[in-house]
Amino acid sequence: MKITGAEVLVSSPGRNFVTLRITVEDGTTGLGDATLNGRELAVAAYLSEHVVPLLIGRDAHAIEDTWQYLYRGAYWRRGPVTMTAIAAVDTALWDLKAKSAGLPLYQLLGGRSREGCLVYGHASGAGLPELFDSIAEHLEQGYRAIRIQTGVPGLGAVYGVAGGAASAGGAGAGGIRYDYEPAKRGPLPSEEAWDTRAYLRHIPGVFEAVRNEFGPELPLLHDAHHRLTPIQAAKLGKSLEPYDLFWLEDVTPAENQAVLRRVREHTTTPLAIGEVFNTIWDYRELFEEQLIDYVRSPITHAGGITGLRRILDYASVYQIKSGVHGPTDVSPVGLAAAIHLGVAIPNFGIQEYMRHSAATGDVFRSEIRFAGGMLAPGTSPGLGVEYDDVVAAAHPYEAAYLPVNRLLDGSMHDW
């Protein structure tokens, strides 16, 4: 089954997506997600100029060989652009292989280990009344685990907190409220002020109030967005212990992995990290010293199904589970791939789930379904996702960027 063509498709139905479509001799196509938020065109160019010419004539069934060929052959290894491009190729080839076999993709990965993947949603609010309303809405929608993010007194926009038409954080398309801060359209990223001490004072009280209102059973998660020093992260983890978090995410900048030893020494709050990691080598120290509890890398940025499965097999040796990144800038193709993998692996933990816009759903027609707090894969051969070129053409690319953070003195800050 030789590859005869590969197209790089860029569209923006609500937000920017890059999709790779590979075609084989009999006309069958496979899809891969190549979206890298804020750097979409870098991956599109990498694929178009450097990868697609290498694919024509290759055996589409030789997935592992193609993965190694693209990874080792570039010499300049790893990094988000390279690994996102490889992920797109890898996922498209798995889609093709499953279609050739006439099976849904999870069957090629060993079959089901569970009926569906437990997901968590994103509840937020500038204050407790808005936050409580958001939590209640998510529970009504069927979510059984919820991430909690809130505004901080004295600050304006806070990344991860819902914005509306009149909010300092801006709004989604048409001024509609959203429970996660997407990249904002425009030639430059917006800037947000940050005060770590105010945040550390405020957050424990928020979780106390949420527990008092919604009880002890609801799994609660929180994302610190890389903003803390090691001792600040340790302090936050310890202060949140009475509220029994499912996890505390990205407490410190991921580049400095050794500092998680200090966090681990001071708190039993479970830790999740890795959405900015791209390869298995990024995790070695964290796994072998058991410094984290959940792996956050998405298929889209970690070398595809082949790359992420390798990471999760390694994690299982240390009883570490999956917690795959699933924001709306991972396209329905990337989400479908994560669900097919998630129902198959033995060490699944939880899946992030943010509902895509209706416009996104018109471009990417997916069989993935949400019910009972879980996402389940479709039963058609392959990933169960189709791409509509006609609808996509009505949504051209627009530059959009995530915000940057500054401390109150104006200096740049991690987030």
Side-chain angles (χ1 to χ4, degrees), residues 175-218:
I176 299 171
R177 172 191 169 92
Y178 47 75
D179 277 300
Y180 192 80
E181 204 76 19
K184 297 173 187 174
R185 308 281 181 167
L188 298 173
S190 62
E191 297 190 5
E192 298 175 355
W194 182 250
D195 184 341
T196 303
R197 294 187 66 197
Y199 164 77
L200 292 174
R201 288 193 302 268
H202 184 60
I203 288 298
V206 170
F207 276 89
E208 180 181 23
V210 170
R211 280 292 181 218
N212 288 339
E213 181 72 14
F214 294 95
E217 297 300 322
L218 179 64

Side-chain angles (χ1 to χ4, degrees), residues 20-241:
L20 178 68
R21 182 166 58 201
I22 294 178
T23 304
V24 293
E25 292 168 292
D26 66 359
T28 305
T29 60
L31 297 176
D33 184 14
T35 308
L36 186 61
N37 195 351
R39 297 294 183 270
E40 298 91 353
L41 299 185
V43 184
Y46 189 101
L47 283 166
S48 297
E49 297 176 17
H50 302 292
V51 174
V52 167
L54 305 178
L55 297 177
I56 308 305
R58 290 188 64 84
D59 180 2
H61 284 310
I63 297 176
E64 180 66 35
D65 185 68
T66 298
W67 197 100
Q68 297 293 340
Y69 176 72
L70 295 177
Y71 181 82
R72 299 177 188 276
Y75 184 78
W76 306 107
R77 301 180 183 182
R78 305 164 70 174
V81 173
T82 294
M83 298 311 294
T84 300
I86 291 175
V89 175
D90 183 82
T91 303
L93 294 183
W94 276 106
D95 190 20
L96 279 163
K97 184 181 283 285
K99 288 176 178 176
S100 176
L103 295 169
L105 178 58
Y106 66 81
Q107 295 288 17
L108 271 63
L109 302 175
R112 287 182 184 267
S113 289
R114 58 194 53 79
E115 289 304 308
C117 295
L118 176 68
V119 302
Y120 69 90
H122 297 74
S124 71
L128 289 179
E130 289 182 15
L131 176 61
F132 285 4
D133 287 347
S134 182
I135 295 171
E137 181 180 346
H138 279 80
L139 293 175
E140 290 172 4
Q141 292 172 357
Y143 287 93
R144 291 160 42 198
I146 299 177
R147 194 187 79 165
I148 303 297
Q149 306 294 132
T150 183
V152 177
L155 298 181
V158 174
Y159 182 83
V161 177
S167 81
I176 299 171
R177 172 191 169 92
Y178 47 75
D179 277 300
Y180 192 80
E181 204 76 19
K184 297 173 187 174
R185 308 281 181 167
L188 298 173
S190 62
E191 297 190 5
E192 298 175 355
W194 182 250
D195 184 341
T196 303
R197 294 187 66 197
Y199 164 77
L200 292 174
R201 288 193 302 268
H202 184 60
I203 288 298
V206 170
F207 276 89
E208 180 181 23
V210 170
R211 280 292 181 218
N212 288 339
E213 181 72 14
F214 294 95
E217 297 300 322
L218 179 64
L220 300 177
L221 304 86
H222 180 65
D223 191 346
H225 289 118
H226 311 279
R227 290 175 167 133
L228 307 178
T229 65
I231 198 64
Q232 290 169 343
K235 179 180 180 180
L236 179 61
K238 192 169 185 65
S239 69
L240 292 175
E241 284 178 9

Side-chain angles (χ1 to χ4, degrees), residues 247-251 270-274 292-296 323:
W247 79 35
L248 178 58
E249 179 184 346
D250 286 340
V251 288
L271 301 175
I273 203 166
I292 63 171
D293 303 280
Y294 294 93
V295 169
R296 292 285 289 135

Side-chain angles (χ1 to χ4, degrees), residues 372-408:
M374 298 191 296
L375 285 175
T379 56
S380 295
L383 285 170
V385 183
E386 298 297 329
Y387 187 89
D388 191 317
D389 293 80
V390 175
V391 177
H395 300 281
Y397 170 85
E398 296 181 57
Y401 296 98
L402 296 174
V404 296
N405 271 224
R406 290 189 185 274
L407 296 175
L408 297 182

